[in-house]
Amino acid sequence: MRLPSTPFPVKKILMVCLGNICRSPLAEGILRSKALQHGLDVEVDSAGTISWHAGHPPDERSVAAGKKSGIDIGALRGRKITTADFDRFDLILVMDAQNYSDVAALARDAGDLAKVHLLLEFAGHGRNDVPDPYYGTMQDFHDLYRLLDEACNLLITRLREHKL
Ligand code: 4NP
């Protein structure tokens, strides 16, 4: 499928945050589940801009927030984004402006950079950044779930509308 603001077909989507334990694994799980529900042939993965949590499972609060809605992300493991991800993925959706700067700094050329977008902006959500809930409360994780769920619904609509 080809989206209006991407000059390339979108089959593989990478969700990116800072640690790859709170926001992006939950976004990965939610989008994968919705793509499956809608029969969309989309591959989804996630990564962080730092390596601190490489090999670690997602934050237990993200796991709990997903589980409440039937999304199981417990088996995912953290990893750091690499330049090879620009070759592996068609679209790299970041959670906030800092993630955008960090991922943009890895881009080798304009083609790489064109793959990087803020998730909420790309989805057409009214907000810009997905707030980092790491130092927050369980309620922040429930709010995170709702925000990512809204964004993924919008994203799925775009993917379905522009299916080739
Ligand atoms: P994430 O949240 O980027 O949504 O995975 C964070 C996870 C870990 C840290 C910060 C944010 N940390 O500072 O270790």
Side-chain angles (χ1 to χ4, degrees):
M1 50 209 84
R2 194 179 297 274
L3 302 180
S5 57
T6 61
F8 38 78
V10 171
K11 287 281 182 198
K12 298 181 181 178
I13 299 176
L14 182 68
M15 298 288 193
V16 175
C17 62
L18 177 67
N20 192 209
I21 54 167
C22 297
R23 292 166 292 177
S24 60
L26 195 52
E28 174 188 348
I30 293 171
L31 184 61
R32 179 177 295 122
S33 161
K34 290 183 188 297
L36 207 67
Q37 277 169 22
H38 290 278
L40 290 176
D41 178 24
V42 179
E43 187 184 313
V44 190
D45 193 11
S46 66
T49 57
I50 58 172
S51 58
W52 299 347
H53 301 286
H56 297 180
D59 187 290
E60 60 187 20
R61 296 165 296 176
S62 279
V63 176
K67 198 168 278 179
K68 198 165 166 251
S69 296
I71 307 288
D72 183 3
I73 60 165
L76 302 181
R77 293 295 178 266
R79 73 175 181 90
K80 185 179 186 293
I81 188 173
T82 70
T83 49
D85 287 310
F86 288 104
D87 299 323
R88 288 180 52 206
F89 294 93
D90 306 311
L91 195 56
I92 299 178
L93 296 176
V94 301
M95 300 297 139
D96 63 31
Q98 183 61 54
N99 303 152
Y100 185 89
S101 306
D102 293 339
V103 175
L106 295 175
R108 297 158 299 186
D109 53 31
D112 283 356
L113 192 58
K115 295 183 173 186
V116 189
H117 298 267
L118 281 167
L119 167 65
L120 296 186
E121 193 175 78
F122 189 82
H125 195 282
R127 293 171 58 180
N128 267 351
D129 284 1
V130 177
D132 181 351
Y134 188 61
Y135 294 105
T137 65
M138 190 61 222
Q139 186 55 50
D140 294 315
F141 281 80
H142 292 309
D143 294 345
L144 168 68
Y145 182 92
R146 198 177 58 208
L147 186 56
L148 293 176
D149 189 60
E150 288 169 3
C152 289
N153 281 337
L154 291 163
L155 199 55
I156 288 285
T157 301
R158 289 196 67 185
L159 291 168
R160 293 182 74 194
E161 278 171 0
H162 300 97
K163 197 164 185 175
L164 292 177

